[in-house]
Amino acid sequence: MVTEACKKNHVTVNGHVAKPSKEVFPTDKITFRKDQITQIITVLDIPDNRVGAKLVDMYRKNETPAEAYQHLELLKLSKEHYRKNGTGRPTKKDRRDIDEFGNEIHSDEDEVE
């Protein structure tokens, strides 16, 4: 997944496009796009050996602005404004209600003119 993102030039290290084989050093800033927000990670240190996922946070610092996460929450809420997740396709009644709502808006605009 990360290799594909590097090949598509979606990952930068210190402002330069990174290849999958790019060596990373402490104090490098890695920027990438995930879940519709741009993440910024600073490398604090390089471990001597492979480490488990729980220990990765010791070697990196997340510098993504808080506004980016707030924007992500707004996107999630805007998608759920009509139907909840997992409720499936709209029923015939739901579709008719949506059509009637659209017609009400158009008829109100006609009366104003």
Side-chain angles (χ1 to χ4, degrees):
M1 183 166 102
V2 176
T3 303
E4 292 173 17
C6 288
K7 287 181 181 178
K8 293 179 181 178
N9 298 335
H10 292 206
V11 179
T12 61
V13 177
N14 295 329
H16 302 289
V17 176
K19 292 185 177 182
S21 62
K22 170 81 170 129
E23 229 177 299
V24 180
F25 300 101
T27 70
D28 282 352
K29 285 193 184 250
I30 302 171
T31 306
F32 58 95
R33 190 146 174 88
K34 180 182 174 192
D35 296 332
Q36 297 182 343
I37 61 173
T38 302
Q39 303 267 349
I40 302 168
I41 303 291
T42 300
V43 178
L44 299 176
D45 196 14
I46 306 293
D48 295 330
N49 297 329
R50 291 178 62 129
V51 295
K54 291 182 180 179
L55 302 176
V56 170
D57 288 333
M58 293 177 13
Y59 298 101
R60 69 178 180 145
K61 180 179 178 187
N62 189 353
E63 295 184 351
T64 307
E67 295 86 30
Y69 291 111
Q70 292 171 352
H71 178 69
L72 182 63
E73 288 298 319
L74 286 174
L75 285 174
K76 286 181 182 178
L77 290 174
S78 69
K79 290 179 183 176
E80 296 178 357
H81 75 281
Y82 176 68
R83 295 185 63 78
K84 299 286 184 210
N85 282 342
T87 56
R89 292 176 51 179
T91 62
K92 235 181 211 183
K93 182 181 181 321
D94 292 338
R95 196 172 63 241
R96 287 181 185 139
D97 291 342
I98 292 169
D99 289 341
E100 286 177 19
F101 180 74
N103 291 337
E104 289 175 8
I105 292 173
H106 291 298
S107 64
D108 290 344
E109 290 175 357
D110 294 339
E111 292 173 6
V112 172
E113 295 174 5

